[in-house]
Amino acid sequence: MQGQTRAIVEQSLQALMKDPLFIPDLQDNIREQAFTSLAAILSTPNKIHKSFLRMPLENGQVVRIPAYRVHHNDALGPYKGGIRFHESVNEEEVINLAFLMTLKNSLHDVPFGGGKGGIVLNPRERTDKELNVISKKYVQYFADVLGPDKDIPAPDVGSGEREMDWMMAEYKSIKPGKPYRGSFTGKSVINGGSLGRREATGKGVYYTFRYMLHDFLLKQEDWLNKTDNPFAKTALSLAKRPLRISVQGFGNVGSVTALEAYQCQELHNKVVAVSDRNCTLYNPDGLDIPALISYTAVHQGDLPTTAEQLKKSGVKAEILNREEVLTIEADVLMLAALEDQVHKGNMAKVPARIIVEGANAPVTAEADAFFNNKGVIIIPDILANAGGVIVSYLEWLQGRETQFLSEEEVFSMLFNKMKQTLDTILPKFFGDPHPLRQNCYIHSVMKLSTVLYRQGKLY
Ligand code: NAD
């Protein structure tokens, strides 16, 4: 997984080195050396912090739980990235997620570096009290490397505003008298969080898709019709017609993305399938997404899994196994669960012509190459799912100023920021044969490399 990110960074550096406008001061041998130095700096984390948190369980047993905080790169600002609570967390995964954060922040001009954390546990198997203890322990063990100007964690899979509130409170008591509001983002609003943070990632994911297929496409239709770019053909073939959308994952990101797709006035969507860790729900006439959100809100986030539960939810659907969300007939597949979901073993059965990565790294390198060759557009994670970190940045700013924005202001700033990136990237993407992921990486690596060069890191 990390290899894929590293390979695309190297390809991006190779493309940049051929561009005479990229750091023109570097010539000949020095330019070649700079390539090797930049590849080394960008593809390795600055520091990996690992601890085994001592946790007393409620049954009296004491266990040690592996936990990580990875600092990938801070050339652009303090490290920033979520803390994942999941049983499959491992060092390689956290490094890759931190790497993606560095690239994402650079791409969207967010003044943060890249970091990520993880705790190896299944939160569903722990009591609230145990989760409270483990959250506090995480802050105690990593307190010296965290802080509003050092490293600012946020929620990720398995964690949410409750855990961020606990963690900020622990940070405050460990560092009395020090600024603490900006130490964690994704907090509850009453505890200094930002309005709109909960919905930010899912709204940003859908906005990115809609902007490409509606706003940008309508403005650029004549030009796109004249190019023979295969991705332009794909976009045009889907424009102005009803779209069947399937969404994998129905948590924070997936449920909001599905709701945005359901409510969208600009495109004629039908959300035909959604899935979670248990099952897929399918209805070719479209699912009632608000009813499913109401159901999950009172069932620990889970979709209905039996005919009886479906009846209770008031939703008409067929219950399929959880992988089927990927392969049922749909024009657009939005991935909002975990990594490596679309891979060599299932890629040939995925019918979608556009894949949107709400999750981080949900498409493997082999599948990525396969879809690129078929002209399928993949809207990559670092472009599509940056809404969370953008609004986290707004939360951090609001915490510093203790001046709070309205929800309307937050969403307007979020969409403006994403629009700025899209207006830079999309003309390049439809104008050359590189896939969208490569275009995003080139832009991101260009900024990071120039900053590293100017900070004297290539000597
Ligand atoms: P979440 O824990 O709220 O939801 C995860 C969802 O995925 C749940 O519905 C769960 O049932 C489902 N799921 C778990 N395993 C599955 C499987 N094998 N198949 C299908 N569904 C499965 O997490 P989230 O915050 O929505 O994050 C989802 C993804 O988005 C992650 O990759 C995360 O890193 C990424 N992301 C999240 C944010 C954010 O702000 N929350 C920001 C950027 C990226």
Side-chain angles (χ1 to χ4, degrees):
M1 194 204 319
Q2 206 187 323
Q4 180 189 8
T5 314
R6 193 181 296 143
I8 309 177
V9 164
E10 283 187 11
Q11 286 159 19
S12 308
L13 278 169
Q14 264 155 5
L16 284 167
M17 287 294 162
K18 289 185 200 132
D19 178 353
L21 296 176
F22 173 67
I23 326 187
D25 313 7
L26 299 172
Q27 293 292 330
D28 308 323
N29 280 353
I30 301 199
R31 199 167 175 86
E32 273 168 40
Q33 264 174 22
F35 168 80
T36 320
S37 314
L38 284 165
I41 296 171
L42 291 175
S43 63
T44 41
N46 286 353
K47 190 109 186 165
I48 299 165
H49 306 276
K50 178 174 182 182
S51 271
F52 292 89
L53 311 182
R54 186 180 61 78
M55 169 141 130
L57 301 181
E58 289 211 68
N59 65 10
Q61 194 193 341
V62 171
V63 292
R64 296 270 253 167
I65 296 188
Y68 301 90
R69 190 70 198 164
V70 171
H71 287 170
H72 180 261
N73 191 289
D74 64 347
L76 301 181
Y79 301 104
K80 182 95 191 79
I83 303 174
R84 181 169 291 193
F85 287 38
H86 197 275
E87 62 277 20
S88 71
V89 162
N90 61 74
E91 188 170 308
E92 197 213 353
E93 177 187 79
V94 187
I95 294 172
N96 191 52
L97 292 170
F99 195 169
L100 290 174
M101 286 305 295
T102 301
L103 296 168
K104 195 183 300 180
N105 288 330
S106 173
L107 175 65
H108 292 274
D109 263 327
V110 177
F112 288 136
K116 200 80 183 187
I119 307 182
V120 186
L121 95 173
N122 180 350
R124 287 173 181 270
E125 289 174 359
R126 299 285 159 226
T127 64
D128 286 356
K129 196 166 168 205
E130 287 168 347
L131 290 172
N132 174 271
V133 170
I134 204 75
S135 300
K136 290 196 292 196
K137 290 268 175 183
Y138 188 90
V139 181
Q140 289 161 16
Y141 279 59
F142 295 119
D144 286 344
V145 300
L146 301 176
D149 291 307
K150 281 189 192 167
D151 177 5
I152 309 132
D156 195 74
V157 176
S159 59
E161 63 182 32
R162 181 182 68 164
E163 287 73 20
M164 296 305 111
D165 285 355
W166 288 340
M167 288 184 169
M168 187 201 75
E170 187 63 12
Y171 181 83
K172 182 168 176 272
S173 44
I174 294 174
K175 309 255 173 185
K178 292 264 163 65
Y180 61 88
R181 277 195 191 81
S183 57
F184 289 83
T185 60
K187 307 180 294 290
S188 65
V189 172
I190 198 160
N191 201 27
S194 177
L195 288 166
R197 172 63 184 84
R198 191 185 63 75
E199 300 88 352
T201 306
K203 274 192 181 271
V205 169
Y206 187 75
Y207 176 79
T208 308
F209 164 73
R210 192 205 80 193
Y211 192 81
M212 176 193 279
L213 213 66
H214 179 263
D215 310 43
F216 182 81
L217 201 133
L218 286 191
K219 261 190 279 164
Q220 301 293 341
E221 200 172 353
D222 290 347
W223 169 62
L224 289 174
N225 268 313
K226 282 183 208 135
T227 75
D228 51 8
N229 180 304
F231 300 113
K233 288 196 173 29
T234 302
L236 288 165
S237 74
L238 293 174
K240 299 185 206 161
R241 71 170 182 79
L243 294 174
R244 295 159 302 173
I245 297 185
S246 57
V247 183
Q248 186 197 39
F250 206 70
N252 175 288
V253 180
S255 65
V256 176
T257 304
L259 186 65
E260 290 288 309
Y262 175 89
Q263 290 173 336
C264 182
Q265 303 287 315
E266 288 84 359
L267 295 168
H268 308 289
N269 298 326
K270 254 190 246 167
V271 182
V272 293
V274 298
S275 75
D276 69 0
R277 67 196 178 97
N278 299 315
C279 67
T280 293
L281 298 181
Y282 174 59
N283 183 340
D285 298 324
L287 292 162
D288 183 345
I289 301 297
L292 287 172
I293 290 178
S294 304
Y295 182 89
T296 54
V298 289
H299 291 87
Q300 291 189 301
D302 285 339
L303 292 167
T305 53
T306 63
E308 201 180 309
Q309 289 173 356
L310 259 183
K311 202 169 162 205
K312 229 186 198 173
S313 72
V315 174
K316 287 199 180 78
E318 205 180 319
I319 301 168
L320 307 176
N321 78 43
R322 77 174 182 197
E323 271 74 35
E324 286 184 79
V325 72
L326 305 171
T327 55
I328 50 151
E329 274 307 314
D331 308 294
V332 183
L333 172 61
M334 300 193 163
L335 299 167
L338 294 170
E339 287 84 352
D340 299 338
Q341 295 300 301
V342 180
H343 48 74
K344 199 175 170 186
N346 61 14
M347 62 194 188
K349 289 189 251 152
V350 174
R353 301 295 296 157
I354 297 188
I355 297 177
V356 190
E357 296 186 337
N360 288 308
V363 177
T364 66
E366 277 150 332
D368 196 50
F370 172 81
F371 290 119
N372 290 333
N373 286 336
K374 281 179 47 176
V376 171
I377 298 175
I378 302 186
I379 305 186
D381 42 16
I382 64 167
L383 181 63
N385 73 21
V389 75
I390 292 171
V391 175
S392 274
Y393 168 58
L394 298 178
E395 177 176 339
W396 181 77
L397 280 179
Q398 292 170 78
R400 297 203 142 202
E401 294 165 1
T402 52
Q403 293 281 333
F404 292 89
L405 300 166
S406 70
E407 192 174 75
E408 206 184 344
E409 287 168 322
V410 168
F411 290 140
S412 151
M413 289 162 101
L414 166 66
F415 297 144
N416 280 338
K417 190 95 182 132
M418 296 195 85
K419 180 178 181 310
Q420 263 172 22
T421 310
L422 290 162
D423 283 339
T424 308
I425 297 292
L426 292 181
K428 287 186 188 152
F429 166 55
F430 287 117
D432 81 15
H434 289 121
L436 187 50
R437 192 187 312 277
Q438 177 86 65
N439 268 284
C440 292
Y441 272 48
I442 289 176
H443 186 78
S444 175
V445 168
M446 180 171 64
K447 177 162 184 204
L448 279 161
S449 302
T450 311
V451 168
L452 285 165
Y453 169 64
R454 293 198 176 278
Q455 288 182 2
K457 304 284 188 205
L458 300 190
Y459 291 104

